[in-house]
Amino acid sequence: MTRTAQDTKIRRIVLTGLFSALIFVFTAYIHVPTGAGYTHAGDGFIYLAACLLPAPYAVAAGMIGGALADGLTGFPVWIPATIVVKAVTALFFTNKKDKILNLRNILGIIPSLAVCIVGYSLYEGVFMTGGFNKAAIIAAFGQTPFYAIQVGASAVLFLAAGAALDRSGLKKRI
């Protein structure tokens, strides 16, 4: 059975919704509270979405899932930063390879770490303090270990799930 363009679009929209929900759950409910919020593995599903969906759909899934998690767990002030950070994060991965785990997608974890640290730290240090304040920015970068743990947990989830999905041949079926 051949897929029509309409079938493909519907599949992509459904997968975007599924990934949005997974990102939300793994961010909002499966997390470790920290002094400045929480650390989670939800970004691992952003990485997976970006390996399985074209960029606009993966970006949407990351933005929707992350923003919902911030808004519904008592951290709505972070929604603007989350929308930007998660959108950019999805762009470091590609769905154009035969396998989820390929060199580009594995290396995509590194710039994801940098965007997470720099994006959230600058947002906290500049926008949440009402202007450019060197001391506030330096203090905000004090959260770097927590952001590194978050990306590390997400990377473990991504690598384990990606390996399992590659073994199952899922990518060829969707």
Side-chain angles (χ1 to χ4, degrees):
M1 181 168 136
T2 60
R3 289 189 195 150
T4 65
Q6 185 69 15
D7 291 340
T8 299
K9 186 174 183 178
I10 290 170
R11 279 180 187 265
R12 289 176 177 168
I13 291 170
V14 169
L15 283 172
T16 300
L18 174 67
F19 275 109
S20 296
L22 287 168
I23 293 161
F24 167 70
V25 168
F26 273 77
T27 302
Y29 299 111
I30 303 173
H31 65 256
V32 177
T34 65
Y38 53 84
T39 296
H40 60 83
D43 290 3
F45 285 103
I46 295 173
Y47 308 163
L48 283 171
C51 295
L52 295 169
L53 293 166
Y57 295 91
V59 166
M63 290 169 44
I64 293 166
L68 282 173
D70 285 346
L72 297 175
T73 57
F75 298 96
V77 70
W78 290 99
I79 291 173
T82 292
I83 287 172
V84 173
V85 168
K86 302 315 179 194
V88 172
T89 294
L91 299 176
F92 296 122
F93 300 86
T94 184
N95 73 324
K96 296 179 182 181
K97 302 283 185 177
D98 291 335
K99 298 245 182 210
I100 293 168
L101 297 184
N102 57 66
L103 184 61
R104 175 180 169 161
N105 290 340
I106 292 169
L107 291 177
I109 295 166
I110 297 167
S112 295
L113 172 64
V115 165
C116 182
I117 291 169
V118 173
Y120 283 116
S121 295
L122 286 178
Y123 180 78
E124 181 179 356
V126 175
F127 298 104
M128 290 180 63
T129 60
F132 188 84
N133 179 325
K134 184 177 174 183
I137 293 171
I138 291 169
F141 274 92
Q143 296 301 316
T144 296
F146 296 112
Y147 296 138
I149 291 168
Q150 178 175 307
V151 172
S154 293
V156 168
L157 173 73
F158 167 67
L159 294 170
L165 294 172
D166 279 344
R167 280 194 304 277
S168 76
L170 176 79
K171 188 160 174 130
K172 292 176 186 165
R173 292 192 309 256
I174 58 173

